[in-house]
């Protein structure tokens, strides 16, 4: 589950501080965080998501294999459809909203992000989240509210509960996201805006892992 990272310790002397970006700064920085501070002081990572919300750094471990499977497949397919509409799709990219830093699972922009580390949320046409079991409130309630407040026109949600994928698209209307398309595994999800795309949500999950063996074979020969 996502949580604020570390309780601050007393700040070290200047000579003892790391010369470049380091996660050690989370131990002693006790002032409110901003997106820019996180980008300046924390290193880039392919590990846990490191976001900033309301002055706090939020660290979220990678989700399970179903989440990764669905995110990779959907991002690949959506990217091709988005490019036909002259839109640009990225997976887990930095999006800045005021002082906050978000890393949505899916980011569709009006302009390309090549060469950039972050993009302002005003360039986002659609932001998407694959719901994680440990972060259901964040993905279903908190993030849509935050993205809607920032004026992102569309929100896409993928839910994998009980390994029965569902996809829902919401459009921002009068300041609130309202459903415009939805489908569960075994039917076809179809959206017309912000670009045309269709898929059976069942296609987003791969094969289930085999049961663990009680006594796995020894590697010793």
């Amino acid at each position: 589950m996502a949580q604020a990272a570390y309780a601050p310790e007393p700040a070290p002397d200047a000579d003892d501080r790391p010369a470049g970006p380091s996660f050690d700064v989370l131990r002693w920085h006790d002032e409110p965080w901003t997106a820019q501070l996180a980008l300046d002081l924390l290193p880039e990572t392919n590990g846990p998501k490191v976001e900033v919300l309301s002055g706090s750094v939020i660290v979220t471990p990678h989700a399970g294999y179903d989440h990764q499977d669905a995110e990779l497949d959907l991002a690949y397919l959506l990217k091709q459809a988005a490019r036909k509409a002259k839109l640009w799709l990225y997976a887990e990219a930095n999006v800045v909203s005021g002082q906050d830093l978000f890393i949505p699972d899916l980011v569709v922009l009006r302009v390309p992000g090549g060469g950039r580390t972050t993009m302002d949320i005003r360039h986002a046409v659609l932001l998407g989240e694959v719901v994680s079991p440990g972060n259901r409130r964040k993905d279903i309630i908190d993030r849509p509210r935050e993205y809607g407040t920032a004026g992102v026109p569309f929100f896409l949600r993928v839910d994998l509960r009980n390994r029965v994928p569902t996809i829902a698209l919401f459009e921002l209307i009068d300041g609130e996201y309202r459903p415009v398309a939805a489908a569960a595994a075994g039917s076809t999800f179809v959206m017309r805006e912000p670009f045309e795309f269709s898929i059976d949500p069942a296609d987003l999950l791969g094969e289930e892992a085999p049961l663990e063996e009680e006594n796995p074979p020894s590697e010793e020969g």
Side-chain angles (χ1 to χ4, degrees), residues 95-125:
V95 175
V96 174
S97 177
Q99 301 299 321
D100 295 334
L101 173 64
F102 299 124
I103 305 180
D105 291 324
L106 301 167
V107 178
V108 179
L109 303 174
R110 298 184 179 89
V111 295
R116 299 286 299 276
T117 301
T118 67
M119 293 294 285
D120 192 282
I121 201 167
R122 63 189 172 86
H123 296 302
V125 176

Side-chain angles (χ1 to χ4, degrees), residues 25 29 31-42 52 99:
V25 71
H29 183 85
E31 298 296 324
W33 282 88
T34 66
Q36 192 58 54
L37 269 177
L39 294 166
D40 290 343
L41 300 180
L42 300 177
V52 176
Q99 301 299 321

Side-chain angles (χ1 to χ4, degrees), residues 129 155-159 166-170 179-183 189 191 201:
E129 299 288 355
F155 174 71
L156 186 72
R157 185 175 69 222
V158 181
D159 198 331
T166 61
I167 305 177
L169 177 70
F170 301 83
V180 293
F189 170 79
M191 71 183 202

Side-chain angles (χ1 to χ4, degrees), residues 24-204:
D24 286 346
V25 71
L26 292 172
R27 297 166 51 198
W28 53 264
H29 183 85
D30 58 358
E31 298 296 324
W33 282 88
T34 66
Q36 192 58 54
L37 269 177
L39 294 166
D40 290 343
L41 300 180
L42 300 177
E44 293 184 3
T45 174
N46 290 323
K49 286 185 178 181
V50 180
E51 302 175 290
V52 176
L53 180 63
S54 300
S56 296
V57 171
I58 307 298
V59 177
T60 309
H62 275 307
Y65 281 82
D66 281 346
H67 184 290
Q68 305 301 325
D69 215 7
E71 181 181 325
L72 287 171
D73 285 352
L74 186 58
Y76 173 77
L77 297 170
L78 281 171
K79 184 168 187 173
Q80 298 177 72
R83 288 300 295 120
K84 294 178 182 178
K86 296 184 178 180
L87 297 171
W88 287 263
L89 183 139
Y90 302 89
E92 298 192 8
N94 295 322
V95 175
V96 174
S97 177
Q99 301 299 321
D100 295 334
L101 173 64
F102 299 124
I103 305 180
D105 291 324
L106 301 167
V107 178
V108 179
L109 303 174
R110 298 184 179 89
V111 295
R116 299 286 299 276
T117 301
T118 67
M119 293 294 285
D120 192 282
I121 201 167
R122 63 189 172 86
H123 296 302
V125 176
L126 176 151
L127 297 178
E129 299 288 355
V130 180
V131 179
S132 297
N135 289 326
R136 292 193 65 84
R137 177 183 170 84
K138 183 200 80 170
D139 295 331
I140 294 176
I141 299 175
D142 296 340
R143 286 303 159 88
R145 182 178 62 233
E146 291 149 4
Y147 299 157
T149 298
V152 179
F154 292 93
F155 174 71
L156 186 72
R157 185 175 69 222
V158 181
D159 198 331
L160 307 175
R161 177 178 279 188
N162 298 324
R163 303 198 83 242
V164 180
T166 61
I167 305 177
L169 177 70
F170 301 83
E171 184 176 5
L172 191 65
I173 300 175
D174 295 332
E176 295 184 359
Y177 282 124
R178 299 183 182 178
V180 293
S187 57
T188 302
F189 170 79
V190 179
M191 71 183 202
R192 304 299 182 192
E193 297 290 344
F195 51 88
E196 294 190 357
F197 176 75
S198 63
I199 189 174
D200 181 342
D203 295 339
L204 296 178

